[in-house]
Amino acid sequence: MHSGVTVAEVDAAEMRGVFLAREAIEGLVAGLAAERVTDAQLAGLESVQQQMRGRLGTGSLQRLPELNSEFHRILAEAAGYRVLAALTDQLLLTVRRHRISAPVGPEGWAQVIAEHDGIVAALRRRDPVAAAQAAKAHISAQADHEVADKD
């Protein structure tokens, strides 16, 4: 008898929609966060980045999806609206479900970390335009990487 968790695959067209929604929401979230982020939240984002770099450096990729979600949760929290945090969580859950059947490799995670660095730098400068642009570019790049060749 077969038992365990069954994960429904998310098709490429649906994932494109998920990434389009993420791009719009993440841009909004990052722009708002640049105006409201606390020093503690910035420290949290930087801590997640450091943990991601450490995991990538040792080749231990298993926790990277969870750390990536944590980065985006902190960012959404910094925006200051529960509805944006809830939407972010919902979209991240779909992305993580997709990545079970289409995992991100080391090069992809290195790109994610570098893109996160751009978001954090804009947040540190309290620059909402740059933060929104960096977040949108991050999600767009991830969409191109993850669903472009699967459409």
Side-chain angles (χ1 to χ4, degrees):
M1 179 143 226
H2 184 69
S3 65
V5 176
T6 302
V7 177
E9 283 196 38
V10 182
D11 69 28
E14 193 62 28
M15 280 311 299
R16 176 64 67 189
V18 168
F19 279 104
L20 286 170
R22 281 195 70 205
E23 187 176 337
I25 290 168
E26 293 275 349
L28 176 61
V29 159
L32 291 166
E35 298 173 341
R36 302 165 184 215
V37 68
T38 66
D39 289 341
Q41 289 164 331
L42 279 169
L45 290 168
E46 290 171 343
S47 172
V48 169
Q49 285 289 89
Q50 184 177 33
Q51 291 174 63
M52 289 182 80
R53 276 191 189 83
R55 295 282 176 165
L56 182 62
T58 63
S60 177
L61 307 183
Q62 299 88 336
R63 246 190 108 230
L64 288 175
E66 178 185 331
L67 288 166
N68 181 64
S69 292
E70 181 64 15
F71 179 93
H72 288 282
R73 274 194 288 277
I74 294 168
L75 186 63
E77 175 187 299
Y81 292 96
R82 283 191 311 256
V83 67
L84 294 175
L87 289 168
T88 297
D89 281 344
Q90 182 179 359
L91 292 167
L92 285 169
L93 184 61
T94 303
V95 170
R96 285 182 69 181
R97 199 172 78 218
H98 167 72
R99 287 177 176 166
I100 290 170
S101 61
V104 176
E107 302 82 16
W109 283 116
Q111 179 180 337
V112 166
I113 293 166
E115 291 163 0
H116 285 180
D117 285 341
I119 296 167
V120 173
L123 293 175
R124 280 218 163 277
R125 294 190 312 271
R126 305 298 199 264
D127 185 338
V129 173
Q133 288 172 339
K136 286 180 179 183
H138 167 51
I139 302 305
S140 178
Q142 294 309 301
D144 290 346
H145 177 72
E146 294 194 42
V147 297
D149 58 352
K150 298 167 185 65
D151 286 328

